[in-house]
Amino acid sequence: MRKKTEERRQAILDAAERVFQQVGFERASMAQICSEVGFSKATLYSYFNSKDELFFDVMMAAASAEFEATKSLLDHSSDDARAVLLAYGRQYLTVLYSPRVQAIRRLMATEGNRGDLGRRCFEFGPEKGQNIVAGYLKTLMDKGVLREARPLLLSQQLHSLLEAEWIEQFMFGVLGELSASQFAAATGDAVDTFLRAWRPA
């Protein structure tokens, strides 16, 4: 029974994601989502109390598993910080610039100013991720691999460097498909720049 419940919930999330991407949050209705998934309104509301709640869960479900797997690459026990950051950076960019996550980010940029929706998504997604990376960077500071600084600031700088080559193209909707070799090259440049800036003299 639990499996069937989870399958229904996922089916609703998948249908809602399609509808939100097709017409946007404002124009989307619970009735459209019901039609897309083939469930009654009663069934839909038994899983999600409102369109805002459904939208939030769509945002989080879209990439949470992939990002959690990415964060698991931050091996605090490894003595090779560059190798750890390279592995993390490549996977981070692979997830971030996948077609699905790009679509979700664009949708979030458009709809995030609705009430506290943007704040909730930021706290659950980017802010949580930045803090996890900050924890790893603090470990590197404690080992003497990096100079002492605010760990969260360094995390923000690292993520900015990783995206630096493509963020403006992404924002203006002119970014083409990216390859694994491009992710690897951009990660290498970003990590080396970051380490040159923050390793002890």
Side-chain angles (χ1 to χ4, degrees), residues 179-192:
S179 66
S181 61
Q182 286 176 292
F183 293 141
T187 300
D189 290 341
V191 168
D192 288 342

Side-chain angles (χ1 to χ4, degrees), residues 129-139 141 151-153 155 159:
Q130 288 173 3
N131 284 326
I132 289 173
V133 175
Y136 171 71
L137 297 177
K138 180 63 169 66
T139 299
M141 291 177 201
L152 183 58
L153 172 64
S155 176
H159 288 99

Side-chain angles (χ1 to χ4, degrees), residues 153-172:
L153 172 64
L154 267 65
S155 176
Q156 292 164 340
Q157 290 182 355
L158 175 62
H159 288 99
S160 294
L161 285 168
L162 286 167
E163 276 202 89
E165 191 172 343
W166 304 306
I167 185 62
E168 290 191 349
Q169 295 174 62
F170 166 75
M171 289 175 63
F172 284 91

Side-chain angles (χ1 to χ4, degrees), residues 174-198:
V174 296
L175 184 66
E177 185 176 353
L178 300 171
S179 66
S181 61
Q182 286 176 292
F183 293 141
T187 300
D189 290 341
V191 168
D192 288 342
T193 299
F194 177 80
L195 290 176
R196 280 197 299 270
W198 287 107

Side-chain angles (χ1 to χ4, degrees), residues 57-137:
D57 280 15
V58 165
M59 296 296 103
M60 296 305 99
S64 60
E66 291 88 344
F67 278 115
E68 288 303 319
T70 302
K71 292 164 197 170
S72 72
L73 296 171
L74 297 170
D75 183 359
H76 289 243
S77 65
S78 173
D79 292 327
D80 192 341
R82 184 176 184 273
V84 171
L85 291 174
L86 286 174
Y88 169 80
R90 284 193 300 269
Q91 185 60 25
Y92 174 79
L93 290 176
T94 299
V95 172
L96 198 63
Y97 284 95
S98 66
R100 185 185 185 201
V101 175
Q102 284 194 60
I104 290 296
R105 291 177 77 192
R106 290 193 183 97
L107 189 57
M108 191 66 250
T110 303
E111 309 294 350
N113 62 350
R114 298 183 54 81
D116 70 342
L117 189 59
R119 178 188 58 78
R120 290 174 63 206
C121 289
F122 174 75
E123 289 174 351
F124 190 89
E127 185 175 55
K128 181 180 177 182
Q130 288 173 3
N131 284 326
I132 289 173
V133 175
Y136 171 71
L137 297 177

